[in-house]
Amino acid sequence: MSCLIGPGKVSRTVIFGLSGAQYAASPSFKIALAHSEARVSKCADVKYVITRADDRSNYGTKDDKIGFYMIKTTQAVFIAVYNEGIDPGSCVNVVEELGD
């Protein structure tokens, strides 16, 4: 988790296995993933508008300063939230690198 949060590219993150089991999460970041095909629209009691979704990833925003990025790999689902002060593109890039 520190490789995502430490550099200041992500505010909070969680990693699930494709079965839905949680592998790791930021402290006090609570979210449930119903199954590996889930599409996140509510994360940590914040409602998001899905701005882009495809077979591998979802992008969502609450407003122009807060949002999330979700990517599904062959082994896991990564969900990363960025808050004000974090560049959304940087959040996506660091999660993509980890997912590859």
Side-chain angles (χ1 to χ4, degrees):
M1 305 316 283
S2 62
C3 65
L4 292 171
I5 297 171
K9 308 286 184 186
V10 172
S11 299
R12 295 180 314 275
T13 189
V14 63
I15 302 170
F16 291 98
L18 296 182
S19 68
Q22 182 176 304
Y23 290 164
S26 300
S28 73
F29 188 42
K30 305 294 182 208
I31 181 174
L33 187 67
H35 53 79
S36 62
E37 299 299 319
R39 297 289 189 220
V40 175
S41 62
K42 187 174 182 183
C43 184
D45 295 324
V46 177
K47 291 184 180 181
Y48 294 92
V49 175
I50 304 298
T51 56
R52 179 179 160 209
D54 57 41
D55 291 340
R56 186 169 189 244
S57 61
N58 278 347
Y59 299 80
T61 60
K62 178 180 181 278
D63 55 36
D64 61 346
K65 298 175 185 172
I66 299 171
F68 79 91
Y69 177 64
M70 181 181 94
I71 183 171
K72 179 182 169 187
T73 69
T74 58
Q75 297 180 7
V77 176
F78 296 82
I79 302 171
V81 174
Y82 60 87
N83 288 334
E84 185 172 357
I86 295 177
D87 175 55
S90 295
C91 176
V92 169
N93 289 339
V94 73
V95 175
E96 285 276 350
E97 287 175 15
L98 188 61
D100 284 340

